[in-house]
Amino acid sequence: LESGALARNLCHVTTTASDAITVRLIELAIADLGPPPTRFAFVALGSEARREQTLATDQDNALIYADPPVDPDAAAEYFLGLGEHVCDGLAKTGYAYCKGENMAKNPVWNRPIAQWKRYFAEWIAEPDDKALAHCNVFFDRRCVYGDSSLVHALRDEVGAALADHPAFFAYMARNTLQYKPPIGMFGRIVTGTAGEPRNAFNIKEAMLPIVNFARLYALRHEHDETNTFDRLERLDETGVLHDDSRRAIEQAYGRLMQLRFRHQVRTIESGNPPDNSIDLGTLTQIDIGMLKHTFSQISVIQKKVAFEFHSTS
């Protein structure tokens, strides 16, 4: 960070470390439990799936296994044990348990492929607030270890379900439109909202509209990329975004990510755990000007989403 590395490259470093730790924990678990009864994929979700982990992160993972030909109860017991080994190991290593329990040690998210297909089919066919929450986590997924064909099969199923229910995209667009950029009267940055300290704002929340925007359009146009930067580039290549728009959004996201890393490093150096709550008093006027410009870019993409998906929510 101090040598000027791009935020995109910093994310690749943190993700590579996390992947390596996860793979080693799985190998140790298999050595302890014995060989798996059928094919499986240990799947990263959320920011880890997008290769966008920062220094303030928790676990988001799941486990998919092939429908067992015999003794499904024994297979379920084995893979739940595997999930517990890995998630507990990640927690001991420093990756906190997910507060929402989106982890492979939770039996709900440690299931055969047939059940995973049913999950997504239900979320897409009958979207509600819970389905929308699941979109934020489970629609970004990446195989870290195991048989990636299981993840590809699930992707194909999701694509088919989305084709059958195009109205789902309008519902999903709410992810991008719900966030209100913290700009008040006279262009001032509003702080102290949503439980943040008086002079602070949550930078993770500020980045979510761009993440959601890229995911929404990638799914709509059947692109396989999960990383936000990769998605934006792919949308540019296929003509969904104009080159100028893509660069503006990409620069806004990169600047926010850079600021987020810088804040977290400083927090660690001061002896405190890293977080996403940034005090405006620690920023330069250049930083604040950059934030205001970035928030204006978020407003632009929200208008695009509202217009194209006929949504005002």
Side-chain angles (χ1 to χ4, degrees), residues 45-46 57-62 87-88 90-91 94-106 109 133-134 137-138 204:
L45 306 169
T57 187
D58 59 3
Q59 297 182 45
D60 279 310
N61 51 59
C87 293
D88 291 346
L90 285 170
Y95 296 93
Y97 292 123
C98 173
K99 293 179 180 179
E101 298 188 348
N102 297 321
M103 296 176 291
K105 70 177 296 180
N106 181 346
W109 310 128
H134 289 323
V137 178
F138 294 94
K204 179 180 179 180

Side-chain angles (χ1 to χ4, degrees), residues 54-214:
T54 64
L55 302 176
T57 187
D58 59 3
Q59 297 182 45
D60 279 310
N61 51 59
L63 197 147
I64 305 170
Y65 56 92
D67 298 321
V70 294
D71 205 347
D73 291 340
E77 182 179 358
Y78 176 92
F79 286 116
L80 186 58
L82 178 64
E84 289 173 346
H85 269 66
V86 176
C87 293
D88 291 346
L90 285 170
K92 291 176 183 177
T93 308
Y95 296 93
Y97 292 123
C98 173
K99 293 179 180 179
E101 298 188 348
N102 297 321
M103 296 176 291
K105 70 177 296 180
N106 181 346
V108 178
W109 310 128
N110 187 320
R111 305 289 283 170
I113 184 69
Q115 179 59 60
W116 278 104
K117 290 178 178 179
R118 285 193 289 271
Y119 282 155
F120 280 91
E122 290 169 2
W123 296 337
I124 294 169
E126 298 181 9
D128 54 19
D129 288 343
K130 183 178 291 187
L132 192 62
H134 289 323
C135 290
N136 294 332
V137 178
F138 294 94
F139 276 69
D140 292 335
R141 56 197 178 277
R142 179 173 59 84
C143 180
V144 176
Y145 182 100
D147 190 340
S148 60
S149 69
L150 292 166
V151 180
H152 296 326
L154 184 57
R155 177 199 65 198
D156 293 342
E157 189 78 12
V158 169
L162 290 171
D164 290 339
H165 299 88
F168 177 79
F169 289 112
Y171 198 87
M172 192 175 175
R174 288 174 52 188
N175 277 338
T176 304
L177 300 176
Q178 283 177 336
Y179 178 79
K180 304 301 180 187
I183 296 293
M185 292 181 64
F186 311 112
R188 286 176 164 247
I189 297 177
V190 178
T191 58
T193 60
E196 295 297 320
R198 182 178 178 182
N199 199 41
F201 75 99
N202 189 305
I203 193 166
K204 179 180 179 180
E205 295 293 324
M207 297 174 71
L208 285 179
I210 300 176
V211 172
N212 294 334
F213 171 86

Side-chain angles (χ1 to χ4, degrees), residues 270-284:
S270 68
N272 296 308
D275 58 29
N276 294 299
S277 182
I278 294 187
D279 189 327
L280 288 185
T282 64
L283 302 182
T284 67

Side-chain angles (χ1 to χ4, degrees), residues 140 214 218 222-228 230-231 234-235 237:
D140 292 335
E222 301 180 6
H223 297 163
D224 295 337
E225 292 82 2
T226 55
N227 178 265
T228 300
D230 291 342
R231 282 171 166 168
R234 180 75 169 136
L235 292 169
E237 290 169 0

